[in-house]
Amino acid sequence: MPFLIFANQVPMDVKSSIHSGNIPKHVAIIMDGNGRWAKKQGEDRIFGHHEGVNSVREIVEACGEIGVRFLTLYAFSTENWNRPKEEVDALMELLVSTISMETPNLHSKGVKLEVIGDIKSLPLSCQLELKESMEMTSKNTKVTLILALSYSSKWEITNAVQQIAKMVEQGKLKADQVSSELIEEHLSTSKWPDPELMIRTSGEHRISNFLLWQLAYSEFYFTEVLWPDFRKDDFFRAILAYQNRERRFGKTSEQLSRH
Ligand code: IPE
Ligand code: IPE
Ligand code: MG
């Protein structure tokens, strides 16, 4: 009994339970719950977005620590343009100030910044800040941080289909040459492997127009934790949960255990 009490008091080291041989190469996160987090503190929604930046910093660092090579963060969806103007403006300002302040830190940690989404729809100040940060970090290889900004998956897939349709129209391609690989080549994520793991915080169980194609075989992890509270140990818990999944890709469990 005394031993049990003692054992309960020892905080479990989540990170050391992770198996280094089975780290997902790519993790995608729907960072949700900033507004609710702020409301719980009796604050404005914007306060939650500001606090959310600290979670981003920790999770990028956590990826570097365990060897996750690609991290895609859903930061602003196409649908988010429909939020009140004050919130959209504050988010864009936060984006500019965060990129500007965090770039040296990202750079020193070997992080390369990339973006996906309708970047041209962002304010010019955001576009310039992003461009500068991407140029500065372009040679880094430790972690690639992909920000999904003004992004929606239906927008991305529609663009890909339009590009392919043009090739067919110009006679460069026959319709029956359109393959899943060709579609993938025309998605904005073509340079990176598909995420093995998708995390959504704040207890919402939906995909909200995020990476519909790329998540075809990803493992999903949902947590009640609101994004500003989601820190390294929460991330490591998600990785552990991933490591306990059996990814069958349509096969049977018996087939997999034969190898
Ligand atoms: C996620 O938090 C951040 C963005 C979508 C920009 P929310 O702002 O959606 O917070 P909730 O879901 O309203 O709590
Ligand atoms: C999804 O969150 C978009 C981002 C996290 C950027 P939302 O909070 O906008 O999603 P819905 O509208 O609740 O599905
Ligand atoms: Mg939300």
Side-chain angles (χ1 to χ4, degrees):
M1 197 58 182
F3 171 73
L4 276 181
I5 292 168
F6 176 68
N8 281 344
Q9 285 169 344
V10 177
M12 192 185 73
D13 186 356
V14 205
K15 188 179 168 187
S16 64
S17 311
I18 293 175
H19 317 290
S20 57
N22 183 22
I23 302 291
K25 278 198 268 310
H26 188 171
V27 177
I29 309 183
I30 302 181
M31 310 183 285
D32 201 9
N34 293 353
R36 276 164 285 167
W37 184 89
K39 226 167 151 192
K40 268 179 36 186
Q41 333 276 317
E43 298 277 353
D44 207 51
R45 293 177 55 81
I46 314 298
F47 184 65
H49 297 314
H50 278 264
E51 189 57 28
V53 174
N54 296 325
S55 299
V56 171
R57 195 182 304 111
E58 276 210 17
I59 303 314
V60 175
E61 235 176 72
C63 285
E65 284 173 24
I66 61 168
V68 171
R69 299 288 310 281
F70 306 95
L71 173 69
T72 299
L73 298 178
Y74 204 6
F76 192 85
S77 72
T78 307
E79 290 78 14
N80 289 148
W81 288 114
N82 299 320
R83 290 192 178 192
K85 187 178 182 307
E86 309 80 69
E87 181 164 345
V88 171
D89 290 348
L91 278 167
M92 292 303 143
E93 271 171 41
L94 180 63
L95 179 63
V96 175
S97 60
T98 304
I99 298 293
S100 147
M101 289 205 344
E102 296 292 329
T103 296
N105 180 34
L106 292 174
H107 191 43
S108 71
K109 295 208 162 78
V111 179
K112 173 180 182 162
L113 183 76
E114 297 262 19
V115 287
I116 55 171
D118 186 10
I119 303 309
K120 288 194 186 72
S121 67
L122 299 173
L124 201 59
S125 56
C126 288
Q127 295 185 39
L128 293 173
E129 203 60 59
L130 288 166
K131 190 167 175 272
E132 208 172 295
S133 176
M134 285 192 290
E135 276 168 12
M136 181 171 180
T137 61
S138 65
K139 302 263 167 4
N140 294 338
T141 55
K142 195 170 162 79
V143 179
T144 300
L145 168 62
I146 304 149
L147 291 183
L149 291 167
S150 191
Y151 173 87
S152 91
S153 193
K154 287 192 176 181
W155 168 86
E156 177 187 42
I157 294 170
T158 307
N159 270 339
V161 171
Q162 282 178 359
Q163 287 171 38
I164 295 169
K166 267 193 199 121
M167 289 162 68
V168 175
E169 203 175 61
Q170 292 161 358
K172 292 183 183 152
L173 192 75
K174 294 211 169 79
D176 59 8
Q177 287 175 312
V178 178
S179 60
S180 124
E181 290 76 22
L182 188 79
I183 296 172
E184 259 157 25
E185 275 170 34
H186 287 84
L187 295 176
S188 51
T189 51
S190 59
K191 285 186 278 182
W192 312 301
D194 286 343
E196 293 96 326
L197 172 65
M198 193 285 285
I199 301 171
R200 182 166 189 158
T201 59
S202 88
E204 306 296 350
H205 297 171
R206 56 178 172 272
I207 206 166
S208 301
N209 219 343
F210 186 46
L211 303 176
L212 301 177
W213 177 284
Q214 298 87 340
L215 297 179
Y217 255 112
S218 308
E219 295 298 326
F220 285 12
Y221 178 87
F222 297 105
T223 169
E224 295 292 318
V225 177
L226 303 172
W227 179 251
D229 286 331
F230 190 87
R231 297 304 166 97
K232 280 188 188 175
D233 273 359
D234 301 286
F235 182 73
F236 294 144
R237 264 189 278 278
I239 302 289
L240 272 179
Y242 165 81
Q243 296 191 327
N244 284 310
R245 305 274 177 93
E246 182 180 60
R247 305 191 73 208
R248 291 190 286 276
F249 299 99
K251 294 186 177 172
T252 66
S253 206
E254 292 70 26
Q255 280 177 300
L256 296 175
S257 56
R258 253 177 247 144
H259 298 289

Short mmCIF file of all heavy atoms in Angstrom, two decimals, residues 31-37 45 49 74-77 80 83 87 91 202 204 226-227, ligand 1:
data_model
loop_
_atom_site.label_atom_id
_atom_site.label_comp_id
_atom_site.label_asym_id
_atom_site.label_seq_id
_atom_site.Cartn_x
_atom_site.Cartn_y
_atom_site.Cartn_z
N MET A 31 -5.35 23.08 -34.30
CA MET A 31 -5.16 23.76 -33.01
C MET A 31 -6.47 24.46 -32.66
O MET A 31 -6.74 25.55 -33.16
CB MET A 31 -4.06 24.81 -33.14
CG MET A 31 -2.77 24.32 -33.78
SD MET A 31 -1.51 25.59 -33.82
CE MET A 31 -2.07 26.67 -35.12
N ASP A 32 -7.27 23.84 -31.82
CA ASP A 32 -8.61 24.39 -31.57
C ASP A 32 -8.83 24.66 -30.09
O ASP A 32 -8.27 23.97 -29.24
CB ASP A 32 -9.66 23.40 -32.12
CG ASP A 32 -11.00 24.07 -32.37
OD1 ASP A 32 -11.09 25.32 -32.30
OD2 ASP A 32 -11.98 23.34 -32.65
N GLY A 33 -9.65 25.66 -29.82
CA GLY A 33 -10.07 25.92 -28.43
C GLY A 33 -9.52 27.21 -27.82
O GLY A 33 -9.70 27.44 -26.62
N ASN A 34 -8.86 28.03 -28.61
CA ASN A 34 -8.30 29.28 -28.08
C ASN A 34 -9.38 30.19 -27.49
O ASN A 34 -9.20 30.77 -26.42
CB ASN A 34 -7.59 30.07 -29.19
CG ASN A 34 -6.35 29.37 -29.70
OD1 ASN A 34 -5.95 28.35 -29.15
ND2 ASN A 34 -5.75 29.90 -30.77
N GLY A 35 -10.48 30.32 -28.22
CA GLY A 35 -11.55 31.23 -27.78
C GLY A 35 -12.16 30.76 -26.47
O GLY A 35 -12.35 31.54 -25.53
N ARG A 36 -12.45 29.46 -26.38
CA ARG A 36 -13.05 28.91 -25.16
C ARG A 36 -12.09 29.02 -23.98
O ARG A 36 -12.49 29.29 -22.85
CB ARG A 36 -13.45 27.44 -25.39
CG ARG A 36 -14.80 27.30 -26.05
CD ARG A 36 -15.00 25.91 -26.60
NE ARG A 36 -14.24 25.72 -27.82
CZ ARG A 36 -14.02 24.54 -28.38
NH1 ARG A 36 -14.47 23.46 -27.81
NH2 ARG A 36 -13.35 24.46 -29.51
N TRP A 37 -10.80 28.83 -24.26
CA TRP A 37 -9.78 28.94 -23.20
C TRP A 37 -9.80 30.35 -22.61
O TRP A 37 -9.80 30.54 -21.40
CB TRP A 37 -8.40 28.61 -23.78
CG TRP A 37 -7.29 28.61 -22.77
CD1 TRP A 37 -6.88 27.54 -22.02
CD2 TRP A 37 -6.47 29.72 -22.39
NE1 TRP A 37 -5.85 27.91 -21.21
CE2 TRP A 37 -5.57 29.24 -21.41
CE3 TRP A 37 -6.39 31.05 -22.78
CZ2 TRP A 37 -4.62 30.07 -20.82
CZ3 TRP A 37 -5.44 31.88 -22.18
CH2 TRP A 37 -4.57 31.37 -21.22
N ARG A 45 -11.41 36.64 -26.69
CA ARG A 45 -10.94 35.50 -27.49
C ARG A 45 -9.48 35.67 -27.95
O ARG A 45 -8.71 34.72 -28.01
CB ARG A 45 -11.82 35.33 -28.73
CG ARG A 45 -13.25 34.89 -28.44
CD ARG A 45 -14.05 34.83 -29.73
NE ARG A 45 -13.41 33.98 -30.72
CZ ARG A 45 -13.50 32.64 -30.74
NH1 ARG A 45 -14.25 32.03 -29.85
NH2 ARG A 45 -12.88 31.94 -31.65
N HIS A 49 -5.73 33.36 -28.45
CA HIS A 49 -4.86 33.18 -29.62
C HIS A 49 -3.40 33.50 -29.24
O HIS A 49 -2.48 32.81 -29.65
CB HIS A 49 -5.31 34.08 -30.78
CG HIS A 49 -6.70 33.77 -31.28
ND1 HIS A 49 -7.12 32.49 -31.54
CD2 HIS A 49 -7.76 34.57 -31.58
CE1 HIS A 49 -8.38 32.50 -31.97
NE2 HIS A 49 -8.79 33.76 -32.00
N TYR A 74 -2.74 23.74 -38.49
CA TYR A 74 -3.89 24.45 -39.09
C TYR A 74 -4.06 25.73 -38.28
O TYR A 74 -4.53 25.71 -37.14
CB TYR A 74 -5.12 23.56 -38.98
CG TYR A 74 -6.23 23.81 -39.97
CD1 TYR A 74 -6.11 24.71 -41.02
CD2 TYR A 74 -7.43 23.10 -39.85
CE1 TYR A 74 -7.14 24.88 -41.93
CE2 TYR A 74 -8.46 23.27 -40.76
CZ TYR A 74 -8.31 24.17 -41.80
OH TYR A 74 -9.34 24.35 -42.70
N ALA A 75 -3.65 26.85 -38.86
CA ALA A 75 -3.63 28.10 -38.11
C ALA A 75 -4.79 29.02 -38.48
O ALA A 75 -5.23 29.84 -37.67
CB ALA A 75 -2.30 28.82 -38.32
N PHE A 76 -5.25 28.92 -39.74
CA PHE A 76 -6.35 29.80 -40.18
C PHE A 76 -7.00 29.17 -41.40
O PHE A 76 -6.35 28.93 -42.42
CB PHE A 76 -5.79 31.19 -40.53
CG PHE A 76 -6.85 32.24 -40.71
CD1 PHE A 76 -7.35 32.93 -39.61
CD2 PHE A 76 -7.36 32.54 -41.96
CE1 PHE A 76 -8.35 33.91 -39.76
CE2 PHE A 76 -8.35 33.51 -42.12
CZ PHE A 76 -8.84 34.19 -41.03
N SER A 77 -8.30 28.88 -41.28
CA SER A 77 -8.98 28.19 -42.39
C SER A 77 -9.64 29.22 -43.31
O SER A 77 -9.85 30.38 -42.92
CB SER A 77 -10.05 27.25 -41.84
OG SER A 77 -11.15 27.98 -41.33
N ASN A 80 -12.46 30.65 -41.66
CA ASN A 80 -12.21 31.61 -40.58
C ASN A 80 -12.30 33.06 -41.03
O ASN A 80 -12.45 33.97 -40.21
CB ASN A 80 -10.84 31.35 -39.91
CG ASN A 80 -10.79 30.10 -39.08
OD1 ASN A 80 -9.75 29.44 -38.97
ND2 ASN A 80 -11.89 29.73 -38.46
N ARG A 83 -15.21 35.11 -39.61
CA ARG A 83 -15.28 35.56 -38.21
C ARG A 83 -15.39 37.08 -38.16
O ARG A 83 -15.12 37.76 -39.15
CB ARG A 83 -14.04 35.09 -37.46
CG ARG A 83 -14.04 33.59 -37.27
CD ARG A 83 -12.99 33.14 -36.30
NE ARG A 83 -13.09 31.69 -36.12
CZ ARG A 83 -12.49 31.01 -35.18
NH1 ARG A 83 -11.71 31.62 -34.31
NH2 ARG A 83 -12.64 29.71 -35.08
N GLU A 87 -11.60 40.10 -34.94
CA GLU A 87 -10.85 38.87 -34.63
C GLU A 87 -9.91 38.51 -35.78
O GLU A 87 -8.75 38.15 -35.56
CB GLU A 87 -11.81 37.70 -34.33
CG GLU A 87 -11.03 36.43 -33.99
CD GLU A 87 -11.85 35.34 -33.31
OE1 GLU A 87 -12.96 35.62 -32.83
OE2 GLU A 87 -11.35 34.19 -33.28
N LEU A 91 -5.89 38.34 -35.56
CA LEU A 91 -5.17 37.11 -35.91
C LEU A 91 -4.06 37.40 -36.92
O LEU A 91 -2.96 36.86 -36.83
CB LEU A 91 -6.14 36.06 -36.46
CG LEU A 91 -6.90 35.26 -35.40
CD1 LEU A 91 -8.05 34.49 -36.03
CD2 LEU A 91 -5.96 34.29 -34.67
N SER A 202 -9.39 20.34 -28.06
CA SER A 202 -10.62 21.03 -27.60
C SER A 202 -11.89 20.21 -27.68
O SER A 202 -12.98 20.77 -27.56
CB SER A 202 -10.80 22.37 -28.33
OG SER A 202 -11.54 22.21 -29.54
N GLU A 204 -13.45 18.74 -30.08
CA GLU A 204 -14.25 18.70 -31.32
C GLU A 204 -13.80 17.50 -32.15
O GLU A 204 -12.60 17.26 -32.30
CB GLU A 204 -14.07 19.98 -32.14
CG GLU A 204 -14.34 21.28 -31.40
CD GLU A 204 -15.79 21.42 -30.95
OE1 GLU A 204 -16.64 20.61 -31.37
OE2 GLU A 204 -16.05 22.34 -30.16
N LEU A 226 -7.68 22.15 -24.34
CA LEU A 226 -7.79 23.32 -25.24
C LEU A 226 -6.39 23.69 -25.73
O LEU A 226 -5.41 23.52 -24.98
CB LEU A 226 -8.44 24.49 -24.49
CG LEU A 226 -9.83 24.20 -23.90
CD1 LEU A 226 -10.31 25.35 -23.01
CD2 LEU A 226 -10.85 23.92 -25.01
N TRP A 227 -6.28 24.21 -26.92
CA TRP A 227 -4.96 24.43 -27.52
C TRP A 227 -3.97 25.20 -26.61
O TRP A 227 -2.83 24.77 -26.45
CB TRP A 227 -5.05 25.08 -28.91
CG TRP A 227 -3.68 25.33 -29.47
CD1 TRP A 227 -3.06 26.52 -29.63
CD2 TRP A 227 -2.74 24.31 -29.88
NE1 TRP A 227 -1.78 26.33 -30.11
CE2 TRP A 227 -1.57 24.99 -30.27
CE3 TRP A 227 -2.77 22.92 -29.93
CZ2 TRP A 227 -0.45 24.31 -30.72
CZ3 TRP A 227 -1.64 22.23 -30.38
CH2 TRP A 227 -0.51 22.93 -30.77
C1 IPE B 1 -8.53 27.91 -32.87
O1 IPE B 1 -9.26 28.33 -31.78
C2 IPE B 1 -7.81 29.03 -33.56
C3 IPE B 1 -8.38 29.42 -34.87
C4 IPE B 1 -9.36 28.82 -35.48
C5 IPE B 1 -7.77 30.57 -35.51
P1 IPE B 1 -10.72 28.93 -31.94
O2 IPE B 1 -10.60 30.40 -32.18
O3 IPE B 1 -11.50 28.18 -32.94
O4 IPE B 1 -11.32 28.69 -30.49
P2 IPE B 1 -12.75 28.13 -30.12
O5 IPE B 1 -12.94 26.86 -30.88
O6 IPE B 1 -13.74 29.18 -30.51
O7 IPE B 1 -12.68 27.92 -28.64
#
